[in-house]
Amino acid sequence: MNKKNLADILSENKIKSTKQRRVILSVISELKYPDTAEHIYLLAKKEDDSISLSTVYRALEIFTEKGIVNKNEFSLSDKKMYEINTKVHKHYLTCNSCKKILTVEGCPLEEYEKKLSLQTGFEITEHHLNLSGYCPKCRLENS
Amino acid sequence: MNKKNLADILSENKIKSTKQRRVILSVISELKYPDTAEHIYLLAKKEDDSISLSTVYRALEIFTEKGIVNKNEFSLSDKKMYEINTKVHKHYLTCNSCKKILTVEGCPLEEYEKKLSLQTGFEITEHHLNLSGYCPKCRLENS
DNA sequence: TTAATTGCAAACACTTTGCACGCTA
DNA sequence: TAGCGTGCAAAGTGTTTGCAATTAA
């Protein structure tokens, strides 16, 4: 994602475009998997050394509010994890050992929700599914 | 669950039986659904006013280690949630409106986990599924 | 120009830890 | 009685906030 697009995303969402926000958004958009505020801060610092952690938190907050970023409240660690919101329904598969998170698209729950709705009378509007275990790398190292 | 059983559970798990631990375990075993350390502390304080929050945390830690209690790392809030480990696999269906929680036994994910394990190379050991929506009563009231 | 944004440090909320005392096995 | 468990206060984390200086529109 290039600088032009980042500034566009900000203006489309009525967010004032600052150097810090562009850098932070750029960093997030290049993440391979959901990551912590602290790590996003360290990555952003490489591009703009003067950036502060509170600016990162404030940017993450506004991006999340606007739906540009997903704030993952379900992480296995104590830290919240952030990622670009692709608007695709997905689930997470976390490694208990190295804490890396794999994003899994697609969802096995549609039928189940219908069935459960009939059984319980609930209107089901949302679900969160988080799986965890050991990734291929950690399985090898621990065996 | 009576006092006798609680002391038994502790000794079976080679945990020294103290008044505080019995009280804390008793409180947890009577929870209707997962709850916070803070709330468990307040409930325990009703039975033993001298109990301290750090003792609650230390008890929760050892109970979790021994598998007597489940520590829910995926809670929606910032706080970790604890519940007695019944060893019965279950999910939760929460009403967004009245916040009641329905416990749902049975699980639609076995096949999916196998498939995902093949796809990703992960050894999947656990999952958490939380559904939410509107219960029959609130559906009526809100329509 | 001027209101929003920033960096800094201090405050916060939840959890963990060091220590002297007390209690269980 | 030996050593683990406890209460207390202090320290640790991750995150949020108040404020004066800076910057984008």
Side-chain angles (χ1 to χ4, degrees), chain A residues 79-90:
Chain A
K79 303 172 189 175
K80 283 169 190 142
M81 309 291 264
Y82 301 86
E83 69 181 327
I84 280 288
N85 181 5
T86 59
K87 270 110 182 171
V88 176
H89 183 74
K90 59 181 99 154

Side-chain angles (χ1 to χ4, degrees), chain A residues 62-96:
Chain A
I62 194 169
F63 295 165
T64 303
E65 240 166 48
K66 299 290 186 176
I68 304 170
V69 159
N70 276 131
K71 178 177 183 174
N72 191 342
E73 316 257 8
F74 304 96
S75 90
L76 257 180
S77 76
D78 291 339
K79 303 172 189 175
K80 283 169 190 142
M81 309 291 264
Y82 301 86
E83 69 181 327
I84 280 288
N85 181 5
T86 59
K87 270 110 182 171
V88 176
H89 183 74
K90 59 181 99 154
H91 297 304
Y92 300 96
L93 179 46
T94 307
C95 177
N96 290 323

